[in-house]
Amino acid sequence: MSDQDRYLLLVSPLMEHSPAFDRAAALAKADGAALHILAFDYLEGLATAGLVNEQALEQMRIGYVERHRQWLEERAAPLRKYGLTVTTEVAWVERPLQEILVRLREEPMTVVIKALEHESLLSRLLFTPLDVHLLRECPVPLHFVSNAQHALPRKIVAAVDPFHRDDRYEGLNDRILHEASKLADLCNAEVEVVYAHDLSDLSAQEYGFGSGAGYFSSVAAKRLFDDQGQAFDDLAARNGIPPAQRHMILGNPAKVLASYADAYNVDVIVMGRVGHHGLSRLLGSTAETLLYKMPCSVWMVAPEIVD
C-alpha cells in the first residue's frame, strides 16, 4: 500500500478508549498508513464562566487541553512501538464540523474513523448530532465503528442499489464495491454483496407498481424481478464479484441489512449516500435510519464530485 495514505481518527473529548482506537490502529498497520488522532475540546461551562478573570480562564483551558494531549500520547506510545506513524492533536473548537471539513480540504485523508455515538430519536430530532452532519458532508470515506468484535474486520458486506435510472447511483455503486473490495483485501477478509430491494423503488412504477392500483400482475412482477436481478448481476460481474457472493433479498433495505448483519456476524457494512440533498434516499431508506439500526460498524462512501 502507498505510504502516502493517511487515516484520521476523531475521538471524544471525554478521554474514553473506544473500539475505534483499535480499529484505526489495525487498519493503519495493515495499510502501512500514517494515523492522525484528533480530539476537539470545548467545555461550554468553562468557555463561558464569568466567575474568574480572562487570564485564569485561559490557564484552565490550557491545562485541560494539555491533560487531553497527554492522554492521547499515552494511547499513541504503544502503537509507535509497533512501527506505526502516529501523531496526536487536541484543538479547542466550538464547532468541530466546520473545522473537520476545512482540514479535509487542505489535507485530504484516506478515511475518517470515528466511534458511532448512539443518540436517542428525540435527541436526533431536536439536535442534529455530529455523526449525522459528517454523514451528510464528509467528502472522503467515513468509518463509524460500533460493536467491533475484531480489530481487523473479518466479514464485510457491500450494500448496493443498482436498479436506478440515475447515473449518480451507478457510479456510486461501483465506488461502494471498490471500497469494499479494497477493504477486504487489506484485511484478508470475506466480502459479500447484498442488494435489498422492494417494490417502493421509483423505477418500479414503470412496471405498474407504486401507482396505488392495487392490482399486481404476476407477469409484470416477474419482469421487474428479472430486470433487477440482471442489473445486480451486471454490476457485480464488472466488479469481479463471484456469483456465490451475490445476494438479492426482497424486503425493506434497513431491515434486510440489519438482519443479514446479525445473522452472519458481519463486521462492516459498506454503503453509500447520494449527497446532502439526496439524503432522504439511501438504498431505499434514510441514511440516518441505516446508521443507527445496523448491529455492526458501517463504512460510508460519498459519491464522486464532478466539477
Side-chain angles (χ1 to χ4, degrees), residues 113-300:
I113 302 171
K114 185 181 182 299
L116 178 64
E117 297 179 14
H118 289 277
E119 305 279 354
S120 69
L121 177 59
L122 178 60
S123 176
R124 300 201 304 270
L125 290 174
L126 295 175
F127 309 100
T128 304
L130 175 61
D131 290 351
V132 175
H133 279 300
L134 285 171
L135 185 150
R136 294 175 179 175
E137 302 185 44
C138 185
V140 302
L142 178 62
H143 185 27
F144 286 113
V145 181
S146 176
N147 301 324
Q149 298 183 26
H150 310 109
L152 272 183
R154 295 180 181 177
K155 191 171 184 63
I156 298 165
V157 164
V160 298
D161 186 357
F163 200 60
H164 283 275
R165 299 300 186 257
D166 191 321
D167 290 340
R168 293 176 303 169
Y169 287 89
E170 181 178 2
L172 181 56
N173 283 314
D174 288 313
R175 285 169 60 81
I176 292 169
L177 290 179
H178 174 75
E179 284 291 325
S181 297
K182 184 172 67 172
L183 180 62
D185 289 342
L186 180 66
C187 303
N188 193 26
E190 299 179 18
V191 60
E192 306 282 332
V193 183
V194 173
Y195 171 28
H197 67 103
D198 59 22
L199 296 181
S200 66
D201 192 291
L202 292 177
S203 299
Q205 293 184 9
E206 65 190 76
Y207 293 81
F209 302 104
S211 62
Y215 177 77
F216 293 86
S217 164
S218 60
V219 174
K222 184 179 186 306
R223 185 159 60 92
L224 172 59
F225 181 83
D226 290 344
D227 287 355
Q228 286 181 321
Q230 188 61 56
F232 179 47
D233 284 337
D234 290 346
L235 169 68
R238 71 170 176 262
N239 284 278
I241 306 297
Q245 295 168 220
R246 309 171 191 171
H247 309 282
M248 183 172 161
I249 305 172
L250 178 65
N252 175 273
K255 293 180 180 179
V256 166
L257 292 173
S259 297
Y260 190 93
D262 184 58
Y264 293 97
N265 298 315
V266 174
D267 291 297
V268 176
I269 288 184
V270 182
M271 61 181 69
R273 61 178 176 82
V274 295
H276 181 74
H277 297 291
L279 190 62
S280 61
R281 283 195 57 81
L282 172 62
L283 305 176
S285 185
T286 67
E288 182 178 343
T289 297
L290 287 167
L291 180 65
Y292 287 100
K293 293 286 187 181
M294 290 302 105
C296 62
S297 300
V298 298
W299 188 288
M300 303 298 305

